[in-house]
């Protein structure tokens, strides 16, 4: 592992690869960042999701309709859950309760159900936002559709508070094929999950960081960077940079002497 300090690595930034899909919003801060500092910013998901087959779902021996509440933490979970329901010919009863991690997730749920007729509980952005709702509705039997790779907050809270809860694996998170990026170099690689870092190492086992700076969003992503013996140059969120684009901008100002 190299011990070169991040201060010694403040080389000029001209290109960034963001390990997420390209934003659909034309006013995305990434586009504003690219224009403001004359940067090349590309987008490429490092992970992809694969649905669990009905056959594999049945092996989990989960009776969806024995639950009274469903927890959704992502759009992927919503899509794959309702796909499974459709294939199993399961219809959601009118009194089913839905607990969504954010407004965006709740809004997306409208693709499958008429929200105004349902009991809906919405958090601000994180799993812990839902804990007060879980506490107030302890008697519910919760179903948590999720990936085989997921955060621990909800399962740990449910276990600690003796709340009835079933985890349903409805999709797998796997490394995307990045072979076409082998000979393409970027000044910064921006990551948002430990899975993204693992995908980098899986696709390129001999990856040498050299002067490539790495940005990580969230403590678990930052930990994975260090666990893989890579140098973490940019970390978010921080008090002075709550977003990835904010952290990138602060770094670019220093590195490009602006």
């Amino acid at each position: 592992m190299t011990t070169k300090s991040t201060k010694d690595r403040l080389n000029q930034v001209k290109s960034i690869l963001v390990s997420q899909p390209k934003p659909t919003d034309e006013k995305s801060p990434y586009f504003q960042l690219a224009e403001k500092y004359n940067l090349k910013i590309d987008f490429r998901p490092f992970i992809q999701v694969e649905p669990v087959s009905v056959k594999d779902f049945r092996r989990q021996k989960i009776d969806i309709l024995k639950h009274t509440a469903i927890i959704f933490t992502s759009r992927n979970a919503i899509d794959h859950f309702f796909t499974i329901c459709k294939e199993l010919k399961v219809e959601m009863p009118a009194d089913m309760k839905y607990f969504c991690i954010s407004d965006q997730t709740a809004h997306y749920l409208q693709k499958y159900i008429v929200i105004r007729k349902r009991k809906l509980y919405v958090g601000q952005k994180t799993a812990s936002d839902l804990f007060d709702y879980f506490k107030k509705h302890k008697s519910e039997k919760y179903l948590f559709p999720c990936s085989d790779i997921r955060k621990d907050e909800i399962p740990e809270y449910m276990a600690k508070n003796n709340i009835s809860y079933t985890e349903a694996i409805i999709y797998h998170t796997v490394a995307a094929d990045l072979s076409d990026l082998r000979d393409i170099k970027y000044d910064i690689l921006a990551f948002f999950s430990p899975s993204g870092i693992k995908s980098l190492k899986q696709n390129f086992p001999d990856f040498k960081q050299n002067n490539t700076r790495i940005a990580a969003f969230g403590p678990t992503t930052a930990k994975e960077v260090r666990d893989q013996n890579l140098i973490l140059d940019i970390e978010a969120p921080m008090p002075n940079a709550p977003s990835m684009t904010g952290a990138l901008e602060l770094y670019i100002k220093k590195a490009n002497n602006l």
Side-chain angles (χ1 to χ4, degrees):
M1 178 178 176
T2 178
T3 56
K4 192 176 183 182
S5 73
T6 53
K7 199 175 283 187
D8 296 331
R9 296 163 52 77
L10 278 170
N11 300 315
Q12 188 175 18
V13 176
K14 294 180 180 178
S15 61
I16 301 171
L17 180 61
V18 178
S19 61
Q20 286 189 329
K22 186 175 181 177
T24 54
D25 184 359
E26 291 178 2
K27 294 180 181 178
S28 165
Y30 285 106
F31 299 144
Q32 295 171 6
L33 195 67
E35 187 176 348
K36 186 175 180 180
Y37 297 102
N38 193 27
L39 303 169
K40 177 192 181 199
I41 301 183
D42 291 336
F43 301 87
R44 179 67 177 275
F46 274 42
I47 55 175
Q48 62 188 39
V49 298
E50 294 180 350
V52 165
S53 68
V54 169
K55 185 178 178 182
D56 286 340
F57 180 79
R58 282 194 173 118
R59 285 198 184 108
Q60 297 178 58
K61 297 181 179 176
I62 294 170
D63 186 340
I64 293 171
L65 295 180
K66 279 192 175 176
H67 298 82
T68 60
I70 303 173
I71 304 166
F72 286 123
T73 57
S74 72
R75 293 182 179 189
N76 277 325
I78 291 172
D79 282 335
H80 292 294
F81 174 74
F82 283 100
T83 298
I84 287 281
C85 287
K86 186 177 180 181
E87 292 180 9
L88 291 174
K89 294 183 171 58
V90 170
E91 274 193 43
M92 292 295 101
D95 60 350
M96 181 69 79
K97 295 183 177 72
Y98 299 91
F99 293 75
C100 296
I101 198 167
S102 67
D103 283 330
Q104 291 91 337
T105 308
H107 182 75
Y108 192 74
L109 188 56
Q110 293 182 102
K111 184 177 174 182
Y112 297 96
I113 64 168
V114 181
I115 282 182
R116 60 186 171 80
K117 294 183 179 179
R118 307 296 174 124
K119 293 178 180 176
L120 191 67
Y121 305 88
V122 184
Q124 295 296 313
K125 196 173 183 182
T126 65
S128 59
D129 296 332
L130 294 173
F131 291 172
D132 281 343
Y133 289 130
F134 296 155
K135 203 171 187 178
K136 290 173 186 173
H137 300 272
K138 281 191 78 168
S139 61
E140 303 295 340
K141 293 180 178 176
Y142 290 89
L143 181 65
F144 180 28
C146 59
S147 166
D148 54 328
I149 298 172
R150 51 103 181 106
K151 294 180 179 178
D152 297 328
E153 292 102 321
I154 290 174
E156 286 177 353
Y157 182 85
M158 297 308 210
K160 185 180 177 181
N161 291 277
N162 296 314
I163 299 174
S164 176
Y165 146 88
T166 306
E167 191 172 304
I169 306 299
I170 54 167
Y171 64 99
H172 297 295
T173 304
V174 300
D177 180 4
L178 306 173
S179 54
D180 58 307
L181 296 178
R182 182 173 299 281
D183 299 317
I184 302 173
K185 307 296 180 190
Y186 289 89
D187 295 320
I188 296 176
L189 301 178
F191 293 96
F192 300 83
S193 70
S195 302
I197 305 291
K198 288 173 182 172
S199 174
L200 172 72
K201 297 294 278 188
Q202 189 174 323
N203 275 276
F204 311 112
D206 302 322
F207 174 76
K208 298 285 190 295
Q209 187 173 357
N210 298 322
N211 289 322
T212 300
R213 271 60 55 82
I214 288 181
F217 191 89
T220 56
T221 311
K223 181 179 182 298
E224 186 64 31
V225 171
R226 297 185 178 106
D227 287 350
Q228 294 286 353
N229 288 337
L230 296 169
I231 299 170
L232 179 59
D233 300 276
I234 305 158
E235 191 168 357
M238 298 295 273
N240 59 344
S243 66
M244 175 61 87
T245 48
L248 288 170
E249 183 166 18
L250 286 177
Y251 184 86
I252 289 160
K253 284 180 178 177
K254 286 182 187 176
N256 293 11
N257 294 314
L258 300 170

